[in-house]
Amino acid sequence: ALVTATAVLRLVADGRLGLDTPANVYLRTLRLADDTLTVRELLSHSAGVDSPAPAAMFADRVPDLVRLLGTVVGCHGPRGVVRPSNGGYAVLGQLAADLTGSSYLDAATRLVLDPLELTGSSLVTHDTDLGQDVVTGYQVTAAGILQPAVMICTIPAVGGLWATPADLVRLGLGWTRLLPTELVREALTAQTPPGPTGRAMGLGWLLSPDGEVGLHAGVGAGATAALLHLPGGQVRVIVTNRAVPLNTVTDRLLHL
């Protein structure tokens, strides 16, 4: 989803959309049930957009987004409160596609992957496109047995990036170069009141209590990854080939 957030912010920087403009102004393929929800709220996970069931998030191929979400995406969550929303980022991905007149994959590649020369990264639509060099991921069964799990995210804008650790570092170091300084600052500035943990959301980034560290993390079928943006532009990357929580590690890094 960090690629999606960066792609959308690049469109903001180019003057093609406004952070505080309702997203439905730009959407063509589908729309939000609430016409007033803004791009800023979608980026900060505070729009209350409904998400697909967890079981629908991974498969062997990417389905049509309208078939997965419908032509009108529900917005039944609390507005103005941070609640991670895969549905909200799916909408942002479609917004980038509609605005550029291309697929999400093409838009994200042109706006983010290519400028940062992430040659070890790709956004795939079918598990047969992964190639031979992909590390096998594992998940634990109910019986406590590790079994291979190689499935792709059904919403590329949420979890479709397949990348090497080196490319994740390049993404963490390079995304700020794609945006004007004021928009980088906005992305790493709290957009919502702190939640019970003391953290708030920027634009695509979860922030430490002091606002000095940004975190973007995700878990997939057989893999987990986290990217931290530290003061001075330093980057920390954590990857596993098991679907295990990284909260213990990231919590410590967020409180450095």
Side-chain angles (χ1 to χ4, degrees):
L2 181 57
V3 170
T4 302
T6 305
V8 170
L9 290 173
R10 287 208 70 190
L11 294 172
V12 172
D14 291 342
R16 302 184 67 177
L17 60 83
L19 283 173
D20 296 309
T21 302
N24 278 354
V25 170
Y26 309 106
L27 290 165
R28 299 291 179 266
T29 306
L30 47 71
R31 68 179 184 87
L32 294 163
D34 186 338
D35 286 328
T36 68
L37 292 175
T38 66
V39 175
R40 184 188 300 273
E41 288 175 299
L42 291 174
L43 284 167
S44 61
H45 287 288
S46 60
V49 178
D50 298 346
S51 294
M57 288 299 298
F58 294 95
D60 61 355
R61 67 188 64 196
V62 173
D64 180 76
L65 186 60
V66 170
R67 182 176 298 179
L68 189 64
L69 298 183
T71 55
V72 179
V73 183
C75 308
H76 297 98
R79 189 174 182 179
V81 177
V82 174
R83 189 190 72 163
S85 172
N86 291 329
Y89 265 71
V91 170
L92 283 172
Q94 189 59 55
L95 185 154
D98 288 347
L99 204 58
T100 59
S102 62
S103 68
Y104 166 76
L105 273 65
D106 287 343
T109 299
R110 181 173 59 82
L111 291 167
V112 182
L113 271 61
D114 282 352
L116 295 181
E117 298 182 350
L118 304 185
T119 57
S121 302
S122 60
L123 292 155
V124 298
T125 60
H126 197 286
D127 61 3
T128 57
D129 298 329
L130 291 173
Q132 300 298 316
D133 296 330
V134 174
V135 174
T136 301
Y138 294 88
Q139 60 188 6
V140 182
T141 68
I145 299 172
L146 284 173
Q147 66 177 14
V150 181
M151 291 191 293
I152 62 175
C153 183
T154 54
I155 307 178
V158 173
L161 180 69
W162 287 76
T164 63
D167 264 10
L168 291 179
V169 172
R170 293 186 186 97
L171 175 61
L173 292 173
W175 72 277
T176 57
R177 299 198 306 270
L178 302 179
L179 303 171
T181 302
E182 60 270 21
L183 203 50
V184 171
R185 187 179 302 114
E186 187 83 356
L188 296 172
T189 297
Q191 307 291 318
T192 60
T197 63
R199 300 179 197 161
M201 277 296 304
L203 301 176
W205 292 90
L206 179 67
L207 303 176
S208 61
D210 61 6
E212 293 294 318
V213 180
L215 166 68
H216 197 96
V219 60
T224 314
L227 173 63
L228 292 100
H229 182 278
L230 279 64
Q234 297 184 63
V235 168
R236 300 289 186 273
V237 168
I238 309 165
V239 293
T240 76
N241 66 331
R242 281 183 55 189
V244 293
L246 294 175
N247 305 61
T248 303
V249 178
T250 55
D251 284 350
R252 292 181 64 183
L253 288 171
L254 282 172
H255 285 83
L256 286 176

